[in-house]
């Protein structure tokens, strides 16, 4: 029995996940609670999409390892899973492309299930609408919209205009103010859902890597399976943190077209303060690269 | 020369209502810190898990003063250590030359502040807990443990026995918040262990009723102190 005014939602989180932490997972739980509490949404699944190596962020370890950690972290979740499409693209892909890809994939799947199930097909809402794909992020991600050359204006407009954003507040950020100051964000403010994190949580993957490098415990901020994996494979060392140290973040390179040394330095400085932002753009691949099997989907 | 580290057991007393990942994290942070001083070796109580739950305090008929619990556990540790070492150890005050095991109280920085609350602690108990045993206090966002120690004559006197550990990632997961979320049907996944969530749901713990329990009743330590005077 479904109320016709309830919109189905898929939450998509893009980022480095270097490594994934309990805070990332918490964001999904908070977002789901928040949206469903309004009575207007039903969250079907959550997707974690780790960025490809082509992003060239400093300290970014191989995507296969980051994916495996995300997979281990979501083993015990019945609604959150890892999406591999983005990382399988040969080049770095803009965020808006990733969202489009999942929207298209999910819409197709919805249509297929409509055809096979007469009950589903008879419901007008199911036939005409795919689930809404919303980008899930922290307030630092939202504010990255303001970093010059990191995002294309039209991409931001598409993300908040056509899709939607669920943003978990974080200490030290004021997302309300940020939205207020941006005409584009203000225009689409009804598509931006701000979730108050009452339990302040400063776990950041950067801090986590620091602790791991120093042989300190990460206890209980990372899922146990992820801790074991990190230890077994000796990920995160002073060396790994230097990866991409002399390279400019891919989005900045692309958008500014600036290859001069001075441009590099400025851009590199900007990348230091960036949180896990992700972007990519590549033609969608045909293969199904989403771990659907474990997830209950399309239950009416 | 190489292995002059003092064997150390960390004891955390508290409501654990419910236990959270943050509680578990206190142990990890404290262990890292004490190891890094070069002077301590935090003991593993079991082969795979080094943190274990003890039921002695919860089985006592009345509320038990923290220091009584500490004495009990210290006695047990000594016995076990003597058994292994094959010699009789007398309890000694903290001394870096001593090779006997030590027991220290593990707590959050908010715990340090409770020493100031009138009628909550007996003065001689605080002396014993801090002076004889020692504290490892992990700071939480917003509190200033150094200030608390500085402002107390008694704590300042035993500064050498109070180890302040900085939690560099502010995490305000509190059992109170967890109970609140549970009452409201909100998710607490990733804040407390999955097995604990399951247990809570199975036994329907933490409701509006449970939160009202003991409302209007004075905390036992306060009445016990008053009675004995």
């Amino acid at each position: 029995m479904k109320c016709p005014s309830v919109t189905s939602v898929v939450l998509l989180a893009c980022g480095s996940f270097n490594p994934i932490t309990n805070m990332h997972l918490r964001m999904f739980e908070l977002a789901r609670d928040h949206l469903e509490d309004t009575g207007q949404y039903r969250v079907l699944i959550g997707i974690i999409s780790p960025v490809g190596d082509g992003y060239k962020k400093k300290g970014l370890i191989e995507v296969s390892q980051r994916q495996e950690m995300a997979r281990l972290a979501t083993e015990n979740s019945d609604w959150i899973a890892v999406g591999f499409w983005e990382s399988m693209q040969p080049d770095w892909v803009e965020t808006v492309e990733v969202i489009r890809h999942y929207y298209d994939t999910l819409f197709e799947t919805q249509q297929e299930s409509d055809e096979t199930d007469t009950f589903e097909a008879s419901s007008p809402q199911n036939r005409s609408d795919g689930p809404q794909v919303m980008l899930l992020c922290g307030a630092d991600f939202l504010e990255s919209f303001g970093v010059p050359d990191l995002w294309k204006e039209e991409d931001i407009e598409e993300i908040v205009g056509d899709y939607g954003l669920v943003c978990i507040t974080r200490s030290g950020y004021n997302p309300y103010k940020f939205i207020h100051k941006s005409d584009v964000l203000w225009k689409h403010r009804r598509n931006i859902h701000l979730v108050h994190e009452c339990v302040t949580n400063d776990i950041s993957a950067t801090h986590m890597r620091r602790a791991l490098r120093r042989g300190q415990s990460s206890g209980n901020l990372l899922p146990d399976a992820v801790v074991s994996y990190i230890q077994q494979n000796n990920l995160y060392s002073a060396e790994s943190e230097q990866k991409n140290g002399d390279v400019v973040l891919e989005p900045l390179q692309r958008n500014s077209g600036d290859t001069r040394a001075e441009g590099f330095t400025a851009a590199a400085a900007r990348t230091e303060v960036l949180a896990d932002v992700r972007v990519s753009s590549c033609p969608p691949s045909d293969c199904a690269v989403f771990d659907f099997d474990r997830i209950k989907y399309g239950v009416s | 020369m190489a292995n002059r580290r003092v064997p150390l057991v960390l004891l955390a007393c508290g409501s654990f209502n419910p236990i959270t990942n943050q509680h578990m994290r206190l142990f990890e942070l404290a262990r890292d810190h004490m190891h890094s001083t070069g002077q301590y070796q935090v003991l593993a109580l079991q082969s795979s898990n080094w943190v274990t739950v003890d039921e002695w305090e919860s089985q006592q008929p009345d509320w038990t003063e923290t220091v009584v619990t500490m004495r009990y556990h210290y006695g047990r540790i000594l016995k076990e250590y003597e058994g292994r070492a094959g010699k009789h150890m007398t309890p000694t005050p903290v001394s870096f030359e001593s090779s006997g095991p030590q027991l220290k109280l593990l707590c959050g920085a908010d715990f340090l502040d409770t020493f100031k609350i009138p009628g909550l602690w007996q003065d001689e108990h605080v002396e014993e807990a801090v002076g004889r045993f020692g504290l490892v206090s992990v700071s939480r966002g917003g509190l200033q443990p150094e200030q608390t120690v500085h402002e107390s004559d008694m704590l300042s006197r035993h500064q050498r026995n109070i180890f302040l550990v900085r939690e560099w990632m502010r995490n305000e997961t509190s059992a109170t918040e967890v109970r609140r979320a549970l009452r409201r049907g909100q998710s607490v996944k990733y804040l407390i262990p999955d097995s604990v969530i399951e247990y809570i749901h199975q036994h329907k713990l933490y409701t509006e009723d449970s939160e009202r329990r003991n409302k209007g009743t004075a905390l036992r330590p306060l009445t016990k102190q008053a009675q004995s005077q």
Side-chain angles (χ1 to χ4, degrees), chain A residues 16-22 24-25 28 46-50 62-84 87 222-230 232-233 235 289-295, chain B residues 189-190 194:
Chain A
S16 305
F17 299 105
N18 185 32
I20 192 161
T21 69
N22 281 345
H24 294 128
L25 299 165
F28 280 94
I47 304 171
I48 292 173
S49 179
E62 263 183 49
V63 70
S64 56
Q65 291 171 324
R66 291 183 284 117
Q67 268 165 3
E68 179 58 12
M69 290 189 283
R71 191 195 65 75
L72 289 167
T74 52
E75 248 172 0
N76 294 329
S77 174
D78 61 359
W79 70 285
I80 306 170
V82 183
F84 303 104
S87 60
L222 302 182
D224 289 343
V226 175
V227 176
S228 303
Y229 183 83
I230 290 173
Q232 272 158 32
N233 294 280
L235 310 176
V289 289
F290 180 61
D291 186 3
F292 263 120
D293 303 331
R294 276 194 314 106
I295 304 292
Chain B
K189 201 163 158 79
Y190 312 115
D194 284 348

Side-chain angles (χ1 to χ4, degrees), chain A residues 220-291:
Chain A
N220 302 104
L221 291 179
L222 302 182
D224 289 343
V226 175
V227 176
S228 303
Y229 183 83
I230 290 173
Q231 283 168 352
Q232 272 158 32
N233 294 280
N234 285 318
L235 310 176
Y236 303 126
S237 57
E239 215 183 288
S240 70
E241 199 62 16
Q242 288 314 308
K243 223 175 153 189
N244 293 322
D246 53 356
V247 165
V248 173
L249 201 70
E250 190 60 20
L252 297 174
Q253 271 196 55
R254 263 193 217 177
N255 295 334
S256 70
D258 196 336
T259 55
R260 290 169 302 141
E262 303 90 87
F264 266 13
T265 311
R270 283 200 293 271
T271 69
E272 282 305 306
V273 301
L274 287 175
D276 292 348
V277 185
R278 47 118 356 300
V279 220
S280 49
S281 74
C282 253
S285 140
D286 283 340
C287 51
V289 289
F290 180 61
D291 186 3

Side-chain angles (χ1 to χ4, degrees), chain B:
Chain B
M1 177 61 210
N3 205 13
R4 292 290 305 277
R5 286 175 179 256
V6 174
L8 179 63
V9 172
L10 296 172
L11 173 70
C13 302
S15 306
F16 301 109
N17 185 31
I19 192 157
T20 67
N21 285 348
Q22 183 64 3
H23 292 132
M24 304 301 295
R25 189 157 165 66
L26 291 187
F27 279 96
E28 300 287 326
L29 288 164
R31 180 170 71 160
D32 277 356
H33 181 91
M34 300 309 279
H35 273 193
S36 73
T37 64
Q39 288 151 0
Y40 295 94
Q41 176 71 38
V42 179
L43 294 184
L45 299 170
Q46 287 179 33
S47 54
S48 51
N49 273 325
W50 68 283
V51 181
T52 190
V53 182
D54 188 275
E55 295 171 359
W56 179 83
E57 184 180 350
S58 58
Q59 285 167 353
Q60 301 313 299
D62 191 4
W63 165 76
T64 314
E65 285 95 345
T66 303
V67 80
V68 172
T69 306
M70 293 176 86
R71 287 177 202 148
Y72 168 77
H73 286 290
Y74 184 61
R76 276 181 59 197
I77 289 159
L78 270 189
K79 270 208 197 81
E80 199 181 314
Y81 198 79
E82 278 167 35
R84 286 199 217 150
K87 45 189 166 152
H88 181 66
M89 310 287 309
T90 46
T92 56
V94 174
S95 148
F96 292 134
E97 293 75 43
S98 160
S99 56
Q102 286 180 23
L103 175 92
K104 294 195 191 300
L105 191 64
L106 170 64
C107 60
D110 46 354
F111 187 97
L112 280 184
D113 286 334
T114 69
F115 291 140
K116 289 191 291 217
I117 298 173
L120 190 61
W121 291 88
Q122 288 180 41
D123 290 342
E124 56 269 29
H125 284 180
V126 183
E127 276 282 348
E128 189 176 344
V130 183
R132 182 186 171 205
F133 292 106
L135 291 188
V136 183
S137 170
V138 181
S139 70
R140 220 213 270 254
L143 290 170
Q144 293 163 329
E146 286 92 345
Q147 182 112 9
T148 306
V149 171
H150 173 73
E151 285 173 0
S152 154
D153 289 344
M154 192 277 306
L155 292 180
S156 294
R157 225 178 321 122
H158 298 296
Q159 265 185 76
R160 276 187 54 196
N161 235 0
I162 302 175
F163 297 84
L164 298 177
V165 184
R166 197 139 290 157
E167 159 78 279
W168 40 268
M169 286 193 297
R170 216 159 41 116
N171 192 324
E172 286 168 15
T173 310
S174 75
T176 306
E177 284 293 341
V178 168
R179 293 198 305 276
R180 183 172 295 139
L182 288 165
R183 276 199 310 279
R184 295 175 185 181
Q186 289 167 346
S187 167
V188 293
K189 201 163 158 79
Y190 312 115
L191 293 180
I192 70 180
D194 284 348
S195 49
V196 176
I197 297 179
E198 213 178 288
Y199 184 87
I200 289 174
H201 285 316
Q202 244 170 48
H203 295 86
K204 297 187 172 47
L205 310 176
Y206 301 128
T207 56
E208 283 180 23
D209 274 343
S210 72
E211 200 63 16
R212 277 194 286 266
R213 223 187 264 192
N214 294 320
K215 192 173 177 175
T217 314
L219 206 62
R220 185 70 183 124
L222 298 169
T223 57
K224 196 169 181 185
Q225 314 285 28
Q227 274 167 14
S228 63
Q229 270 152 24

